[in-house]
Amino acid sequence: MLIIEADAAMSAYPLTVVGAVCDTTGTAPDTLLSAPISKPVGATVIGTQLHTVTVSFLTSGSYLGIVPDEQMEAVSRAIRLSLDLSD
């Protein structure tokens, strides 16, 4: 799961964060609603698979690192498209 910064959500629900599902199997289709990442793991972020997770769920996992800025921009575009948000 890729944790997405969402200040409005974190302000409204302080013990939760928003995350996007990451497919590490290589079977996710390449669409406008997905974005490949290479770091910290090779995966495809699925922009339509957003979930809220509790801080306790988050802290039970492993921190793997930060997605590079240019790849995070592609993730942002996929999520904005899936939610029909414009800049």
Coordinates of all heavy atoms in Angstrom, one line a residue:
M1 N 0.8 -1.2 0.0 CA 0.0 0.0 0.0 C 0.9 1.2 0.0 O 1.9 1.3 0.7 CB -0.9 0.0 1.2 CG -1.8 1.2 1.3 SD -3.2 1.0 2.4 CE -4.2 0.0 1.4
L2 N 0.5 2.2 -0.8 CA 1.2 3.5 -0.9 C 0.4 4.5 -0.1 O -0.8 4.7 -0.4 CB 1.4 3.9 -2.3 CG 1.9 5.3 -2.5 CD1 3.4 5.4 -2.1 CD2 1.8 5.7 -4.0
I3 N 1.0 5.1 0.9 CA 0.3 6.0 1.7 C 0.3 7.4 1.0 O 1.3 7.8 0.5 CB 0.9 6.2 3.1 CG1 1.0 4.8 3.8 CG2 0.2 7.2 4.0 CD1 -0.4 4.2 4.0
I4 N -0.9 7.9 0.9 CA -1.1 9.2 0.2 C -1.4 10.3 1.2 O -2.2 10.1 2.1 CB -2.4 9.1 -0.7 CG1 -2.3 7.9 -1.6 CG2 -2.6 10.4 -1.5 CD1 -1.2 7.9 -2.6
E5 N -0.7 11.4 1.1 CA -0.9 12.5 2.0 C -2.2 13.2 1.6 O -2.4 13.5 0.4 CB 0.2 13.5 1.9 CG 0.0 14.7 2.8 CD 1.2 15.7 2.7 OE1 2.2 15.3 2.2 OE2 1.0 16.8 3.2
A6 N -3.1 13.3 2.5 CA -4.4 13.9 2.3 C -4.7 14.8 3.5 O -5.3 14.3 4.5 CB -5.5 12.9 2.0
D7 N -4.3 16.0 3.5 CA -4.4 16.8 4.7 C -5.9 17.0 5.2 O -6.1 16.9 6.4 CB -3.9 18.2 4.4 CG -2.3 18.2 4.3 OD1 -1.7 17.3 4.8 OD2 -1.8 19.1 3.7
A8 N -6.8 17.1 4.3 CA -8.2 17.2 4.7 C -8.7 16.0 5.4 O -9.4 16.1 6.4 CB -9.1 17.5 3.4
A9 N -8.4 14.8 4.8 CA -8.8 13.6 5.5 C -8.1 13.4 6.8 O -8.8 13.0 7.8 CB -8.5 12.4 4.5
M10 N -6.9 13.7 6.9 CA -6.1 13.5 8.1 C -6.6 14.5 9.2 O -6.6 14.2 10.4 CB -4.6 13.6 7.9 CG -4.2 12.4 7.1 SD -2.5 12.4 6.5 CE -1.5 13.6 7.3
S11 N -7.1 15.7 8.8 CA -7.6 16.6 9.8 C -9.0 16.2 10.3 O -9.3 16.3 11.4 CB -7.8 18.0 9.1 OG -6.5 18.5 8.8
A12 N -9.8 15.6 9.4 CA -11.1 15.2 9.8 C -11.1 13.9 10.6 O -11.9 13.7 11.5 CB -12.0 15.0 8.5
Y13 N -10.2 13.0 10.2 CA -10.1 11.7 10.9 C -8.6 11.5 11.3 O -7.9 10.8 10.6 CB -10.5 10.6 10.0 CG -12.0 10.8 9.5 CD1 -12.2 11.3 8.3 CD2 -13.0 10.4 10.3 CE1 -13.6 11.5 7.9 CE2 -14.3 10.6 9.9 CZ -14.6 11.2 8.7 OH -15.9 11.4 8.3
P14 N -8.2 12.1 12.4 CA -6.8 12.1 12.8 C -6.1 10.8 13.0 O -4.9 10.7 12.9 CB -6.7 12.9 14.1 CG -8.1 13.1 14.5 CD -9.0 12.8 13.4
L15 N -6.9 9.7 13.2 CA -6.2 8.4 13.4 C -6.2 7.5 12.2 O -6.0 6.3 12.2 CB -6.9 7.7 14.6 CG -6.8 8.4 15.9 CD1 -7.5 7.6 17.0 CD2 -5.3 8.5 16.3
T16 N -6.5 8.1 11.0 CA -6.5 7.4 9.7 C -5.7 8.1 8.7 O -5.4 9.3 8.8 CB -8.0 7.2 9.2 OG1 -8.5 8.5 8.9 CG2 -8.9 6.5 10.2
V17 N -5.3 7.3 7.7 CA -4.6 7.9 6.5 C -5.2 7.3 5.3 O -5.8 6.2 5.4 CB -3.0 7.6 6.6 CG1 -2.4 8.4 7.7 CG2 -2.7 6.2 6.7
V18 N -4.9 7.9 4.1 CA -5.4 7.4 2.9 C -4.3 6.6 2.2 O -3.2 7.1 2.1 CB -5.9 8.5 2.0 CG1 -6.4 8.0 0.6 CG2 -7.1 9.3 2.7
G19 N -4.6 5.4 1.7 CA -3.6 4.6 1.0 C -4.2 4.1 -0.4 O -5.4 4.0 -0.5
A20 N -3.3 3.9 -1.3 CA -3.6 3.3 -2.6 C -3.0 1.9 -2.7 O -1.9 1.7 -2.3 CB -3.1 4.2 -3.7
V21 N -3.8 1.0 -3.2 CA -3.3 -0.4 -3.4 C -2.2 -0.4 -4.5 O -2.3 0.3 -5.5 CB -4.4 -1.3 -3.8 CG1 -4.0 -2.7 -4.2 CG2 -5.5 -1.4 -2.7
C22 N -1.1 -1.2 -4.2 CA 0.0 -1.3 -5.1 C 0.0 -2.8 -5.6 O 0.1 -3.7 -4.7 CB 1.3 -1.0 -4.5 SG 1.4 0.7 -4.0
D23 N 0.0 -3.0 -6.9 CA 0.2 -4.4 -7.4 C 1.7 -4.7 -7.7 O 2.3 -4.0 -8.5 CB -0.6 -4.6 -8.7 CG -0.4 -5.9 -9.3 OD1 -0.4 -6.9 -8.6 OD2 0.0 -5.9 -10.5
T24 N 2.2 -5.6 -6.9 CA 3.6 -6.0 -7.1 C 3.8 -7.2 -8.0 O 4.9 -7.7 -8.2 CB 4.3 -6.2 -5.8 OG1 3.7 -7.2 -5.0 CG2 4.4 -4.9 -5.0
T25 N 2.7 -7.8 -8.4 CA 2.7 -9.1 -9.2 C 3.0 -8.8 -10.7 O 3.3 -9.8 -11.4 CB 1.4 -9.9 -9.1 OG1 0.4 -9.1 -9.7 CG2 1.1 -10.1 -7.6
G26 N 2.8 -7.6 -11.1 CA 3.0 -7.3 -12.6 C 1.8 -7.6 -13.4 O 1.8 -7.6 -14.6
T27 N 0.6 -7.9 -12.8 CA -0.6 -8.2 -13.5 C -1.6 -7.1 -13.7 O -2.5 -7.2 -14.4 CB -1.3 -9.4 -12.9 OG1 -1.6 -9.1 -11.5 CG2 -0.4 -10.7 -12.9
A28 N -1.3 -6.0 -13.0 CA -2.2 -4.8 -13.1 C -2.1 -4.2 -14.5 O -1.1 -4.1 -15.1 CB -1.9 -3.8 -12.1
P29 N -3.3 -3.9 -15.1 CA -3.2 -3.3 -16.5 C -2.7 -1.9 -16.5 O -2.8 -1.2 -15.5 CB -4.7 -3.3 -16.9 CG -5.5 -3.3 -15.6 CD -4.6 -4.1 -14.6
D30 N -2.0 -1.6 -17.5 CA -1.5 -0.2 -17.7 C -2.6 0.7 -18.3 O -3.0 0.5 -19.5 CB -0.3 -0.2 -18.6 CG 0.4 1.1 -18.8 OD1 0.1 2.0 -18.0 OD2 1.1 1.3 -19.8
T31 N -3.2 1.5 -17.4 CA -4.3 2.4 -17.9 C -4.1 3.8 -17.4 O -3.1 4.1 -16.7 CB -5.7 1.9 -17.3 OG1 -5.7 2.2 -15.9 CG2 -5.9 0.4 -17.5
L32 N -5.0 4.7 -17.7 CA -4.9 6.1 -17.2 C -5.1 6.2 -15.7 O -4.7 7.1 -15.1 CB -5.9 7.0 -17.9 CG -5.6 7.3 -19.4 CD1 -6.8 8.0 -20.0 CD2 -4.4 8.1 -19.6
L33 N -5.7 5.1 -15.2 CA -6.0 5.1 -13.7 C -5.0 4.3 -12.9 O -5.3 4.0 -11.8 CB -7.4 4.6 -13.5 CG -8.5 5.3 -14.3 CD1 -9.9 4.7 -14.0 CD2 -8.5 6.8 -13.9
S34 N -3.8 4.0 -13.5 CA -2.8 3.4 -12.8 C -1.5 4.1 -13.1 O -1.3 4.8 -14.1 CB -2.7 1.9 -13.2 OG -2.3 1.8 -14.5
A35 N -0.5 3.8 -12.2 CA 0.8 4.5 -12.4 C 1.9 3.5 -11.9 O 1.9 3.1 -10.8 CB 0.9 5.8 -11.7
P36 N 2.9 3.3 -12.8 CA 4.0 2.4 -12.3 C 5.0 3.2 -11.4 O 5.2 4.4 -11.6 CB 4.7 2.0 -13.6 CG 4.4 3.1 -14.6 CD 3.1 3.7 -14.2
I37 N 5.5 2.5 -10.4 CA 6.6 3.1 -9.6 C 7.7 2.0 -9.6 O 7.5 0.8 -9.7 CB 6.1 3.4 -8.2 CG1 5.6 2.2 -7.4 CG2 5.1 4.5 -8.2 CD1 5.3 2.4 -5.9
S38 N 9.0 2.5 -9.4 CA 10.1 1.6 -9.4 C 10.8 1.6 -8.0 O 11.5 0.7 -7.7 CB 11.1 2.0 -10.4 OG 11.6 3.4 -10.2
K39 N 10.5 2.7 -7.2 CA 11.1 2.8 -5.9 C 10.0 3.2 -4.9 O 9.1 3.9 -5.2 CB 12.2 3.8 -5.8 CG 13.4 3.5 -6.7 CD 14.5 4.5 -6.6 CE 15.6 4.2 -7.4 NZ 16.6 5.2 -7.5
P40 N 10.0 2.7 -3.7 CA 11.0 1.8 -3.1 C 10.8 0.3 -3.5 O 11.7 -0.5 -3.2 CB 10.7 2.0 -1.6 CG 9.3 2.4 -1.5 CD 9.0 3.1 -2.8
V41 N 9.7 0.0 -4.2 CA 9.5 -1.3 -4.7 C 8.9 -1.2 -6.1 O 8.3 -0.2 -6.4 CB 8.5 -2.2 -3.9 CG1 9.1 -2.5 -2.5 CG2 7.2 -1.6 -3.8
G42 N 9.2 -2.1 -7.0 CA 8.5 -2.1 -8.3 C 7.1 -2.5 -8.2 O 6.8 -3.6 -7.7
A43 N 6.2 -1.6 -8.6 CA 4.7 -1.9 -8.5 C 4.0 -1.0 -9.4 O 4.5 -0.1 -10.0 CB 4.3 -1.7 -7.0
T44 N 2.7 -1.3 -9.5 CA 1.7 -0.4 -10.2 C 0.7 0.1 -9.1 O 0.1 -0.8 -8.5 CB 1.0 -1.2 -11.3 OG1 2.0 -1.6 -12.3 CG2 0.0 -0.3 -12.0
V45 N 0.6 1.3 -9.0 CA -0.3 1.9 -8.1 C -1.7 2.0 -8.8 O -1.8 2.6 -9.9 CB 0.1 3.3 -7.6 CG1 -0.9 3.9 -6.6 CG2 1.5 3.2 -6.9
I46 N -2.7 1.5 -8.2 CA -4.0 1.5 -8.8 C -4.8 2.7 -8.2 O -5.2 2.7 -7.1 CB -4.8 0.2 -8.4 CG1 -3.9 -1.1 -8.6 CG2 -6.1 0.1 -9.2 CD1 -3.5 -1.3 -10.0
G47 N -5.0 3.7 -9.1 CA -5.7 4.9 -8.7 C -7.1 4.8 -8.2 O -7.7 5.6 -7.6
T48 N -7.8 3.7 -8.6 CA -9.2 3.5 -8.3 C -9.3 2.7 -7.0 O -10.4 2.6 -6.5 CB -9.9 2.7 -9.4 OG1 -9.3 1.5 -9.6 CG2 -10.0 3.6 -10.6
Q49 N -8.2 2.2 -6.4 CA -8.2 1.4 -5.2 C -7.7 2.2 -4.0 O -6.6 1.9 -3.6 CB -7.4 0.1 -5.4 CG -8.0 -0.8 -6.5 CD -9.3 -1.4 -6.0 OE1 -9.4 -1.9 -4.9 NE2 -10.3 -1.4 -6.9
L50 N -8.5 3.1 -3.6 CA -8.1 3.9 -2.4 C -8.8 3.4 -1.2 O -10.0 3.1 -1.2 CB -8.5 5.4 -2.7 CG -7.8 6.1 -3.9 CD1 -8.3 7.5 -4.0 CD2 -6.3 6.0 -3.8
H51 N -8.1 3.5 -0.1 CA -8.7 3.0 1.2 C -8.2 3.9 2.3 O -7.1 4.4 2.2 CB -8.2 1.5 1.5 CG -8.6 0.6 0.4 ND1 -9.8 0.0 0.4 CD2 -7.9 0.1 -0.7 CE1 -9.9 -0.8 -0.7 NE2 -8.7 -0.8 -1.3
T52 N -9.0 3.9 3.4 CA -8.5 4.6 4.6 C -8.0 3.5 5.5 O -8.6 2.4 5.6 CB -9.6 5.4 5.3 OG1 -10.7 4.5 5.5 CG2 -10.1 6.6 4.4
V53 N -6.9 3.7 6.1 CA -6.4 2.7 7.0 C -6.1 3.4 8.4 O -5.8 4.6 8.4 CB -5.1 2.1 6.5 CG1 -5.4 1.2 5.3 CG2 -4.0 3.1 6.2
T54 N -6.2 2.7 9.4 CA -5.9 3.3 10.8 C -4.4 3.4 11.0 O -3.6 2.6 10.4 CB -6.5 2.4 11.9 OG1 -5.9 1.1 11.8 CG2 -8.1 2.3 11.7
V55 N -4.1 4.2 11.9 CA -2.7 4.4 12.2 C -2.1 3.1 12.8 O -1.0 2.7 12.5 CB -2.5 5.5 13.2 CG1 -1.1 5.6 13.8 CG2 -2.8 6.9 12.6
S56 N -2.9 2.3 13.5 CA -2.4 1.0 14.1 C -2.1 0.0 12.9 O -1.2 -0.7 13.0 CB -3.4 0.4 15.1 OG -4.7 0.2 14.4
F57 N -3.0 0.0 11.9 CA -2.7 -0.8 10.7 C -1.4 -0.3 10.0 O -0.5 -1.2 9.7 CB -3.8 -0.7 9.7 CG -3.6 -1.4 8.4 CD1 -3.8 -2.8 8.3 CD2 -3.1 -0.7 7.3 CE1 -3.5 -3.4 7.1 CE2 -2.9 -1.4 6.1 CZ -3.1 -2.7 6.0
L58 N -1.2 0.9 9.9 CA -0.1 1.5 9.3 C 1.2 1.1 10.0 O 2.2 0.7 9.5 CB -0.2 3.0 9.2 CG 0.9 3.8 8.6 CD1 1.1 3.4 7.1 CD2 0.7 5.3 8.7
T59 N 1.2 1.3 11.4 CA 2.4 1.0 12.1 C 2.7 -0.5 12.3 O 3.8 -0.9 12.6 CB 2.3 1.6 13.5 OG1 1.1 1.2 14.2 CG2 2.3 3.2 13.4
S60 N 1.8 -1.3 11.9 CA 2.0 -2.8 11.9 C 2.8 -3.3 10.7 O 3.3 -4.4 10.6 CB 0.7 -3.6 12.1 OG 0.0 -3.5 10.9
G61 N 2.9 -2.4 9.7 CA 3.6 -2.7 8.4 C 5.0 -2.3 8.5 O 5.5 -1.9 9.5
S62 N 5.7 -2.4 7.3 CA 7.1 -2.0 7.2 C 7.2 -0.8 6.3 O 6.6 -0.7 5.3 CB 7.9 -3.1 6.6 OG 7.9 -4.3 7.4
Y63 N 8.0 0.2 6.8 CA 8.3 1.4 6.0 C 9.3 1.0 5.0 O 10.4 0.5 5.3 CB 8.7 2.5 6.9 CG 9.2 3.7 6.1 CD1 8.3 4.6 5.6 CD2 10.5 4.0 6.0 CE1 8.7 5.7 4.8 CE2 11.0 5.1 5.3 CZ 10.0 6.0 4.7 OH 10.4 7.1 4.0
L64 N 9.0 1.2 3.7 CA 10.0 0.8 2.6 C 10.7 2.0 2.0 O 11.7 1.8 1.4 CB 9.3 0.0 1.6 CG 8.6 -1.3 2.1 CD1 7.9 -2.0 0.9 CD2 9.7 -2.2 2.7
G65 N 10.1 3.2 2.1 CA 10.8 4.4 1.5 C 9.8 5.3 0.9 O 8.6 5.2 1.0
I66 N 10.4 6.2 0.1 CA 9.6 7.3 -0.5 C 9.6 7.1 -2.0 O 10.7 6.8 -2.6 CB 10.1 8.7 -0.1 CG1 10.0 8.9 1.4 CG2 9.4 9.8 -0.9 CD1 10.7 10.1 1.9
V67 N 8.5 7.3 -2.7 CA 8.4 7.2 -4.1 C 9.0 8.5 -4.7 O 8.7 9.6 -4.2 CB 6.9 7.1 -4.6 CG1 6.7 7.2 -6.1 CG2 6.3 5.8 -4.0
P68 N 9.8 8.4 -5.7 CA 10.4 9.6 -6.3 C 9.3 10.6 -6.8 O 8.2 10.2 -7.2 CB 11.2 9.1 -7.5 CG 11.5 7.7 -7.1 CD 10.3 7.2 -6.4
D69 N 9.7 11.9 -6.8 CA 8.7 12.9 -7.1 C 8.0 12.8 -8.5 O 6.8 12.9 -8.6 CB 9.4 14.3 -7.1 CG 9.7 14.8 -5.7 OD1 9.1 14.2 -4.7 OD2 10.5 15.7 -5.5
E70 N 8.8 12.5 -9.5 CA 8.2 12.3 -10.9 C 7.3 11.2 -10.9 O 6.2 11.2 -11.6 CB 9.3 12.2 -11.9 CG 10.2 11.0 -11.9 CD 11.4 11.1 -10.9 OE1 11.5 12.2 -10.3 OE2 12.1 10.1 -10.7
Q71 N 7.5 10.1 -10.2 CA 6.6 9.0 -10.2 C 5.4 9.3 -9.4 O 4.3 8.9 -9.7 CB 7.3 7.7 -9.7 CG 8.4 7.2 -10.7 CD 9.1 6.0 -10.2 OE1 8.8 5.4 -9.1 NE2 10.2 5.6 -10.9
M72 N 5.6 10.1 -8.3 CA 4.4 10.5 -7.5 C 3.5 11.4 -8.2 O 2.3 11.4 -8.0 CB 5.0 11.1 -6.2 CG 4.1 11.1 -5.0 SD 3.5 9.4 -4.6 CE 2.0 9.9 -3.9
E73 N 4.1 12.2 -9.2 CA 3.2 13.0 -10.0 C 2.3 12.2 -10.9 O 1.1 12.5 -11.1 CB 4.1 14.0 -10.9 CG 4.7 15.1 -10.1 CD 5.6 15.9 -10.9 OE1 5.5 15.9 -12.2 OE2 6.5 16.6 -10.3
A74 N 2.8 11.1 -11.4 CA 2.0 10.1 -12.2 C 0.9 9.5 -11.3 O -0.2 9.3 -11.8 CB 2.9 9.1 -12.9
V75 N 1.3 9.1 -10.1 CA 0.3 8.6 -9.2 C -0.8 9.6 -8.9 O -2.0 9.3 -8.9 CB 1.0 8.1 -7.8 CG1 0.0 7.8 -6.8 CG2 1.9 7.0 -8.1
S76 N -0.4 10.8 -8.7 CA -1.3 11.9 -8.4 C -2.3 12.1 -9.6 O -3.5 12.2 -9.4 CB -0.6 13.2 -8.1 OG -1.5 14.3 -7.9
R77 N -1.8 12.0 -10.8 CA -2.7 12.2 -12.0 C -3.7 11.0 -12.0 O -4.8 11.2 -12.3 CB -1.8 12.2 -13.3 CG -1.3 13.5 -13.7 CD -0.7 13.5 -15.1 NE 0.3 12.5 -15.3 CZ 1.6 12.7 -15.0 NH1 2.0 13.8 -14.5 NH2 2.5 11.8 -15.2
A78 N -3.2 9.8 -11.8 CA -4.1 8.6 -11.8 C -5.2 8.7 -10.8 O -6.4 8.5 -11.1 CB -3.3 7.3 -11.6
I79 N -4.8 9.2 -9.6 CA -5.8 9.3 -8.5 C -6.8 10.5 -8.9 O -8.0 10.3 -8.7 CB -5.2 9.5 -7.2 CG1 -4.4 8.2 -6.8 CG2 -6.2 10.0 -6.1 CD1 -3.6 8.4 -5.6
R80 N -6.3 11.6 -9.3 CA -7.2 12.7 -9.7 C -8.2 12.3 -10.8 O -9.3 12.7 -10.8 CB -6.3 13.9 -10.1 CG -5.6 14.6 -9.0 CD -4.8 15.7 -9.4 NE -4.6 16.7 -8.4 CZ -5.6 17.5 -7.9 NH1 -6.8 17.5 -8.4 NH2 -5.3 18.3 -6.9
L81 N -7.7 11.6 -11.8 CA -8.5 11.1 -12.9 C -9.6 10.2 -12.3 O -10.8 10.3 -12.7 CB -7.8 10.4 -14.0 CG -7.0 11.3 -14.9 CD1 -6.1 10.4 -15.8 CD2 -8.0 12.0 -15.8
S82 N -9.2 9.3 -11.4 CA -10.2 8.3 -10.9 C -11.3 9.0 -10.1 O -12.4 8.5 -10.0 CB -9.5 7.2 -10.1 OG -9.0 7.7 -8.9
L83 N -10.9 10.1 -9.4 CA -11.9 10.8 -8.6 C -12.5 12.0 -9.3 O -13.3 12.7 -8.7 CB -11.2 11.4 -7.3 CG -10.6 10.3 -6.4 CD1 -9.8 11.0 -5.3 CD2 -11.7 9.4 -5.8
D84 N -12.2 12.2 -10.6 CA -12.7 13.2 -11.4 C -12.4 14.6 -10.8 O -13.3 15.5 -10.7 CB -14.3 13.1 -11.6 CG -14.8 13.9 -12.8 OD1 -14.0 14.3 -13.6 OD2 -16.0 14.3 -12.8
L85 N -11.2 14.8 -10.4 CA -10.7 16.1 -9.8 C -9.9 16.8 -10.9 O -9.2 16.2 -11.6 CB -9.9 15.8 -8.6 CG -10.5 15.1 -7.4 CD1 -9.5 14.8 -6.3 CD2 -11.7 16.0 -6.9
S86 N -10.0 18.1 -10.9 CA -9.1 18.9 -11.8 C -8.2 19.7 -11.0 O -8.4 20.0 -9.9 CB -10.0 19.7 -12.8 OG -10.8 20.6 -12.0
D87 N -7.1 20.2 -11.7 CA -6.1 21.0 -11.0 C -6.7 22.4 -10.7 O -7.5 22.9 -11.3 CB -4.8 21.1 -11.8 CG -4.1 19.8 -11.8 OD1 -4.2 19.0 -10.9 OD2 -3.3 19.6 -12.8

